[in-house]
Amino acid sequence: MFDIYTIIFLALAVFIFIRLRSVLGQRTGRERPPYDPYSRRDAAKAPAGPGDKVVNFPGTANDTAPLPTPVEPVEDAEPSPARWAGVAEVGSAVANGLDAIAAQERDFDAKHFLTGARAAYEMIVVAFAHGDRAALKDLLARDVFDGFSAAITEREQRGETMETQFVGIEKADIVEADARGNSAQITVRFLSQLISVTHDKQGGVVDGDPEQVADVTDVWTFARELGARDPNWKLVATEAAS
């Protein structure tokens, strides 16, 4: 039934099978699974058992190797000459005063201060005209608030009412700046346009002109404690200028 060539190939196949079996062995069910490149990533997510060893990576809380000491940035010994550009001239008394303030509060920004001073000026003028003591209390120092409140009381006792329409601020310039101890003071000259009129009990005009825009110049001084949590400046002095 089989020719000589079939018998030779069968014998050769049996010989090769026996050789491979002796080299590779048999599966017993305890062999390690094939290598999975993602197995370490998955194992790292699983919590360690009581008998497992924990390998600490550099920088972890259990790492005993010392961490490098951070290098602090080197600050300029002198401020840039253009630091107060558009606010104060280099070498002027105002610039020196702003430098003294910034020496204690390095994030102090004079332009940001002027933006806040403009907003405070408008709020205070309008609140005074409306007799809004609650709004004024948060913006004024105690003695200035007492003066404003007294003026409002006198106006109320006379039965007068005041109407003020804020047109805008043409200019707001820092004219003085100083830091003494932890206290900083900055004086600003405001040039604004207002329509303001005061009426008596009968509605007659006793002051101002409801049809006239008036140019008003005020010199106000703001102050705050440097390093304090409260970042707000308060009005500590007022002066009318021509």
Side-chain angles (χ1 to χ4, degrees):
M1 296 178 61
F2 300 99
D3 58 20
I4 187 63
Y5 295 105
T6 301
I7 296 173
I8 292 174
F9 281 119
L10 287 174
L12 182 61
V14 172
F15 175 76
I16 293 174
F17 175 76
I18 294 173
R19 293 291 297 173
L20 289 175
R21 182 183 178 88
S22 64
V23 173
L24 300 179
Q26 296 179 332
R27 294 185 62 85
T28 63
R30 297 183 179 180
E31 293 82 3
R32 292 184 179 180
Y35 172 72
D36 181 1
Y38 300 100
S39 61
R40 290 188 63 187
R41 182 186 307 172
D42 296 336
K45 297 179 181 178
D52 295 338
K53 295 183 179 179
V54 179
V55 179
N56 297 320
F57 292 93
T60 60
N62 295 326
D63 185 19
T64 57
L67 297 177
T69 303
V71 179
E72 296 183 357
V74 178
E75 299 180 356
D76 296 335
E78 296 181 359
S80 170
R83 184 176 194 175
W84 312 120
V87 177
E89 296 183 0
V90 177
S92 65
V94 172
N96 293 337
L98 295 176
D99 284 339
I101 295 173
Q104 296 192 53
E105 288 194 351
R106 296 188 180 278
D107 59 347
F108 171 75
D109 186 331
K111 291 183 178 179
H112 180 71
F113 165 82
L114 279 175
T115 299
R118 283 172 171 265
Y121 178 80
E122 180 176 353
M123 291 174 63
I124 292 171
V125 169
V126 174
F128 175 73
H130 293 167
D132 189 349
R133 293 179 177 84
L136 292 173
K137 192 170 185 179
D138 294 332
L139 299 170
L140 311 180
R142 179 60 182 272
D143 54 343
V144 178
F145 172 78
D146 290 343
F148 275 51
S149 181
I152 293 172
T153 299
E154 292 177 2
R155 189 173 67 208
E156 292 171 341
Q157 290 174 348
R158 294 193 299 268
E160 298 176 348
T161 57
M162 186 176 183
E163 297 178 3
T164 296
Q165 181 179 347
F166 201 91
V167 178
I169 299 175
E170 183 177 335
K171 291 182 66 178
D173 299 322
I174 297 178
V175 294
E176 290 182 15
D178 191 17
R180 298 180 181 179
N182 293 331
S183 179
Q185 289 192 356
I186 299 180
T187 302
V188 182
R189 178 184 284 113
F190 297 97
L191 177 58
S192 62
Q193 290 79 39
L194 304 173
I195 299 176
S196 183
V197 58
T198 302
H199 298 278
D200 58 18
K201 293 181 180 180
Q202 290 73 32
V205 176
V206 295
D207 188 27
D209 187 339
E211 305 295 333
Q212 181 69 36
V213 177
D215 291 331
V216 179
T217 301
D218 287 307
V219 180
W220 287 9
T221 300
F222 299 88
R224 70 177 294 266
E225 291 298 315
L226 298 175
R229 290 186 176 181
D230 185 1
N232 296 320
W233 295 72
K234 290 192 175 184
L235 180 64
V236 297
T238 64
E239 177 185 351
S242 57

